[in-house]
Amino acid sequence: MGGQSSKMANTDVPTPIKMGTHSLYAADLSSYEAACVEDPNLQSFDATIQERTNRVISSLANGIEVRSISIESLGEVTGSLLEMNQEVVKVILECKQDIWSKKDKELFSLVEDFFENSLQTLDFCNALEKCLKRAREKLVVVKSAMTYFEEEVQNGVEESTYLKTLQGLKDFKEAEDPFTKEFYSLFQSVYAQQVSMLKKLQIRKQKLDKKLKSLKTLRRVSNCIFVAAFVSVLIFSVVAAAIAAPPVVTALAGAMAVPIGSVGKWCNSLFKGYEKALKGQREVISSMQVGTYITLVDLNNIRARIDQLDIKIESMLQNADFALRNEDAVKLAMDEIKKKIESFAEIIESLSEQADKCSRQIRRARTVVIQKIIKYSG
């Protein structure tokens, strides 16, 4: 690309690089000028480059008329190029910590935590199903007591002799509690992990958003490298013109011209690669964030239904206990229990559906995150 600027005219003098609207580098220069307007740091770099370029051109100007150049002037050229390279290095080093940080390590640490938390939440869903199995067994027991009561009422049994009903209520009261202390402990652990995970993801996403907004830092690096290379070619073109373009200097000018196009492409590739990496990370983080949020919503819904079921069971146990302590109040107690049996069964089935829904959404979230990682890694 840049080699076109070193083509030789009939006088064997390299054609100076044009900086007008039809220049080979017009688009890049326009982009650089626009960036200078918006970026104070790039303005400072540009001022330094201009000062050193003008100094070199002035040093060379004296030799142009006599078509010769002094050793001191060549030294000025070499020193200026080294100084410009140092300016570029300085900009890169200032940006290095932000651009080439250990982002992947932090990202995949979050991914590992996400998958570990999701597995533990799936374990919780399985534990919930076991609890619901015990709740169904308890429901069967109380339904049996209700059946005994209805049979004994039809048989005209006196309230003080509801033997089968009372035995059924006793079995209901002694039946294992569906939700154990271990289950509640597991729920608290899983819930706390998901809350912590969501906070970590929010913080990481905020950092990525800030980096995406500050991509002008990397664009500054790109512009610095481009303009340094451009000015280098310009200086060598002046040197070549000043000393009638001997073969060595002509070769240098041509060699310096060639990298401009490739450097520009490399810088653009670097910028786009960084932007793509940040957006890829953001997609991974966002997918985990959505999955974690949905899991927390499911856990909150499950907790609310468990509380309802606990209240329902406790109320029915109080009714059963009242009947067992006051045999004359069996009919009253059974009427109250009958009102609650249907809603008791409904809550159990609702919890089962929510547990299944939570499991499916966790698996779906895991799949989405894996797909995002594959896309990001590719």
Side-chain angles (χ1 to χ4, degrees), residues 14 77 81 231-241 249 252-254 256:
V77 171
L81 293 178
V231 171
S232 299
V233 175
L234 177 62
I235 291 173
F236 267 104
S237 296
V238 175
V239 171
V249 179
L252 285 173
M256 286 296 293

Side-chain angles (χ1 to χ4, degrees), residues 169-184:
L169 291 175
K170 185 178 180 181
D171 292 340
F172 172 68
K173 186 177 178 181
E174 292 176 352
E176 186 179 4
D177 191 343
F179 304 107
T180 63
K181 290 181 179 180
E182 290 75 17
F183 172 79
Y184 284 115

Side-chain angles (χ1 to χ4, degrees), residues 278-296:
L278 285 180
K279 288 182 176 180
Q281 286 188 61
R282 193 180 187 282
E283 285 187 18
V284 174
I285 294 294
S286 294
S287 61
M288 291 192 293
Q289 191 174 20
V290 170
T292 302
Y293 176 79
I294 291 174
T295 299
L296 278 172

